[in-house]
């Protein structure tokens, strides 16, 4: 029925992956396109902090909600049409954003962007599975994730510079134009699977085994079965607790805090935020290597220390008696940068503790944790600013930001508690620990 793939990927596979990875970079740029222009957004739409946070909250909410439909559609139609539609939706969202007259329409535009963004990364992962030998897939997935982070740098520096040099409509209209261009490029170049195969399959070139690639989440029975395993819950809470602080900082509140709160220039704030992105890129491979070498100590040696480092770094910045010095702000963003790589350990938990037929279900559950925590953190920070009467760029103060960022502490504490709890239950479930026996009176 099919012919095994050659040991080395063809040049066509690399071209298709390259276009898919470039589309993912643009998707990340779209996702974080308000990162450096949050203050401009608030001023343009006369939005308070709670309203401003809704731009990111609803965008992330739609992204998370669309993961299941995207998986179903990928199984039915393959990556090429889905990633093309994602590019079109993001382009439409940015075009609406460029000319939006009201805050309500602008928020709807961000929801469109979230829906389009949700289609891209799963599609690129599917291309990797169908065009590359199975042995290369983990490396290609890591490489795709690393490349995608450069989209954040584009959103932080060139996009902000373009807005300063031109206008709001030109800036966001330009991103929309790039989206249309990439929609055409994706449709012209990408193919669902190699011409010698009749379906989307993954080939193990060592054994010749052929596996059908699937992306859809299981039915409700599968969801209950996945959640019933403590390893899945451990994965959920690990992904819930590690990345949200970095998400809130990079997507919305970092630049306003650094400029209006800490008194840094826009150029300094962009540089500090760029360090966060670059540090995450550098830390990722080391975190992945440690995760593979310490399979039974991932939570204790990597995840929980990451949470502690982030919380301590933020608390030091918050209690600093004056605006924080540059070295401390750099330490803060480096600490926040550990959250993204640490969150990938959650998927190691999901993969380790679930059978193959339930893996996409467990992955979907795990992925929802990070987006839930991210939207909670973004919203709570905005709400805390409003409650202090510091909800607009004109009223932002350092003290208000400090109190607002304290709302992250309960999320860290709740998440860390459940990580420790579910870790113990997981170890008992797989036979590494013995359950506590009730004491006889």
């Amino acid at each position: 029925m099919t012919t095994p793939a050659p040991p080395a990927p063809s040049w066509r596979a690399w071209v298709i992956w390259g276009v898919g990875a470039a589309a993912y970079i643009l998707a990340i740029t779209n996702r974080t396109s308000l990162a450096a222009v949050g203050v401009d957004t608030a001023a343009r739409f006369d939005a308070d902090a709670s309203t401003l946070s809704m731009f990111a909250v609803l965008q992330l909410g739609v992204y998370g909600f669309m993961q299941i439909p995207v998986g179903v559609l990928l199984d039915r139609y393959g990556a090429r049409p889905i990633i093309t539609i994602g590019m079109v939706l993001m382009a439409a969202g940015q075009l609406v954003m460029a000319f939006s007259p009201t805050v309500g329409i602008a928020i709807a535009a961000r929801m469109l962007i979230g829906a389009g963004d949700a289609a891209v990364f799963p599609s690129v992962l599917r291309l990797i599975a169908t065009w590359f030998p199975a042995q290369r897939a983990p490396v290609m997935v890591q490489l795709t994730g690393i490349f995608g982070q450069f989209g954040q740098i584009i959103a932080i520096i060139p996009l902000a510079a373009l807005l300063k040099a031109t206008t709001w409509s030109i800036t966001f209209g330009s991103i929309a134009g790039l989206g249309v261009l990439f929609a055409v490029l994706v449709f012209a170049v990408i193919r669902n699977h190699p011409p010698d195969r009749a379906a989307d399959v993954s080939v193990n070139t060592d054994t010749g085994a052929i596996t059908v690639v699937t992306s859809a989440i299981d039915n409700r029975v599968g969801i209950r079965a996945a959640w019933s395993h403590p390893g899945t819950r451990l994965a959920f809470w690990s992904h819930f607790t590690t990345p949200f602080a970095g998400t809130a900082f990079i997507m919305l509140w970092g630049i306003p805090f650094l400029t209006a709160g800490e008194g840094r220039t826009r150029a300094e704030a962009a540089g500090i935020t760029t360090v966060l992105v670059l540090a995450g890129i550098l830390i990722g491979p080391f975190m992945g290597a440690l995760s593979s070498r310490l399979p039974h100590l991932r939570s204790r040696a990597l995840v929980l220390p990451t949470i502690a480092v982030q919380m301590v770094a933020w608390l030091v910045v918050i209690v600093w008696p004056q605006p924080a010095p540059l070295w401390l702000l750099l330490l803060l963003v480096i600490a926040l940068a550990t959250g993204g790589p640490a969150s990938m350990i959650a998927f190691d938990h999901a993969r380790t503790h679930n059978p193959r037929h339930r893996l996409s279900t467990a992955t979907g559950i795990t992925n929802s944790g990070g987006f839930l925590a991210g939207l909670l953190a973004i919203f709570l920070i905005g709400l805390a600013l409003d409650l202090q009467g510091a909800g607009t760029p004109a009223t932002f103060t350092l003290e208000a930001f400090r109190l607002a960022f304290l709302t992250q502490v309960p999320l860290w504490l709740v998440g860390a508690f459940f990580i420790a709890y579910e870790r113990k239950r997981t170890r008992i479930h797989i036979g590494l620990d013995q359950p506590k026996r009730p004491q006889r009176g």
Side-chain angles (χ1 to χ4, degrees):
M1 182 179 69
T2 57
T3 302
S10 65
W11 66 268
R12 190 176 186 186
W14 285 107
V15 170
I16 287 174
W17 172 79
V19 172
Y24 181 53
I25 292 174
L26 181 58
I28 296 293
T29 302
N30 277 275
R31 182 190 304 174
T32 55
S33 53
L34 292 185
V37 298
V39 174
D40 301 87
T41 306
R44 178 178 176 84
F45 296 108
D46 193 25
D48 59 21
S50 295
T51 303
L52 186 61
S53 69
M54 293 307 294
F55 280 89
V57 166
L58 291 176
Q59 178 187 335
L60 288 177
V62 170
Y63 182 101
F65 175 80
M66 287 298 295
Q67 292 301 302
I68 295 174
V70 165
V72 174
L73 292 170
L74 272 171
D75 283 340
R76 183 166 184 178
Y77 299 108
R80 182 192 185 198
I82 302 306
I83 197 171
T84 301
I85 292 171
M87 290 289 109
V88 171
L89 286 175
M90 285 187 288
Q94 294 291 19
L95 189 63
V96 173
M97 195 74 182
F99 299 101
S100 174
T102 64
V103 67
I105 294 175
I107 290 176
R110 298 305 297 183
M111 294 172 70
L112 265 180
I113 292 169
D117 181 17
V120 179
F121 189 58
S123 298
V124 178
L125 296 188
R126 191 180 184 94
L127 291 173
I128 291 171
T130 54
W131 279 92
F132 288 81
Q135 298 90 330
R136 290 183 180 242
V139 175
M140 296 304 299
V141 170
Q142 288 286 344
L143 197 58
T144 302
I146 289 172
F147 277 15
Q149 301 315 304
F150 287 101
Q152 296 184 7
I153 297 177
I154 295 172
I156 293 167
I157 300 177
L159 194 64
L162 181 61
L163 179 59
K164 185 176 181 180
T166 59
T167 65
W168 178 277
S169 296
I170 290 175
T171 300
F172 286 92
S174 298
I175 308 176
L178 278 176
V180 173
L181 174 64
F182 266 83
V184 173
L185 182 64
V186 164
F187 194 79
V189 174
I190 288 180
R191 295 295 181 268
N192 287 345
H193 48 74
D196 61 348
R197 302 181 200 166
D200 291 4
V201 296
S202 175
V203 179
N204 186 315
T205 54
D206 285 342
T207 64
I210 299 171
T211 306
V212 175
V213 176
T214 58
S215 305
I217 198 163
D218 292 345
N219 57 26
R220 282 178 288 181
V221 175
I223 295 173
R224 288 198 299 269
W227 182 253
S228 68
H229 196 296
T232 304
R233 299 195 297 271
L234 174 61
F236 172 88
W237 287 109
S238 297
H239 201 260
F240 178 97
T241 318
T242 47
F244 72 80
T247 299
F249 196 92
I250 200 73
M251 283 198 68
L252 189 60
W253 293 118
I255 298 291
F257 165 71
L258 292 171
T259 53
E262 292 287 344
R264 298 287 169 176
T265 65
R266 285 206 173 200
E268 289 174 328
I272 292 169
T273 312
T274 302
V275 170
L276 190 158
V277 178
L278 294 176
I281 292 172
L282 294 174
I283 293 169
F286 293 100
M287 193 78 76
L290 288 172
S291 177
S292 65
R293 293 182 181 182
L294 304 169
H296 298 304
L297 293 173
R298 288 167 176 159
S299 298
R300 182 177 292 179
L302 298 174
V303 175
L304 291 173
T306 295
I307 296 166
V309 165
Q310 292 182 80
M311 185 165 63
V312 169
W314 253 126
L315 290 176
V316 171
V317 171
I318 287 170
V319 302
W320 199 265
Q322 298 173 345
L326 179 60
W327 64 265
L328 182 55
L329 294 174
L330 290 175
L331 286 178
L332 170 66
V333 295
I334 291 171
L336 296 181
T338 63
S343 73
M344 295 296 102
I345 295 172
F347 297 105
D348 293 332
H349 288 311
R351 184 173 58 253
T352 300
H353 299 295
N354 284 275
R356 186 178 183 87
H357 71 273
R358 216 166 59 208
L359 181 56
S360 90
T361 302
T363 300
I365 292 171
T366 301
N367 204 27
S368 67
F371 288 101
L372 173 62
L375 65 87
L376 282 174
I378 290 169
F379 177 73
L380 289 174
I381 292 167
L383 179 62
L385 287 170
D386 277 343
L387 291 177
Q388 297 176 81
T392 62
T395 57
F396 285 160
T397 65
L398 179 56
E399 289 304 318
F401 271 116
R402 286 173 168 171
L403 291 176
F405 280 112
L406 279 175
T407 59
Q408 299 174 110
V409 173
L411 297 177
W412 277 315
L413 295 179
V414 169
F417 169 81
F418 279 107
I419 288 169
Y421 179 74
E422 298 297 353
R423 177 183 184 272
K424 182 64 175 179
R425 296 192 65 180
T426 300
R427 290 178 64 85
I428 292 172
H429 187 88
I430 63 178
L432 291 177
D433 290 343
Q434 295 297 318
K436 290 183 178 180
R437 296 180 180 179
Q439 294 181 353
R440 295 179 179 179

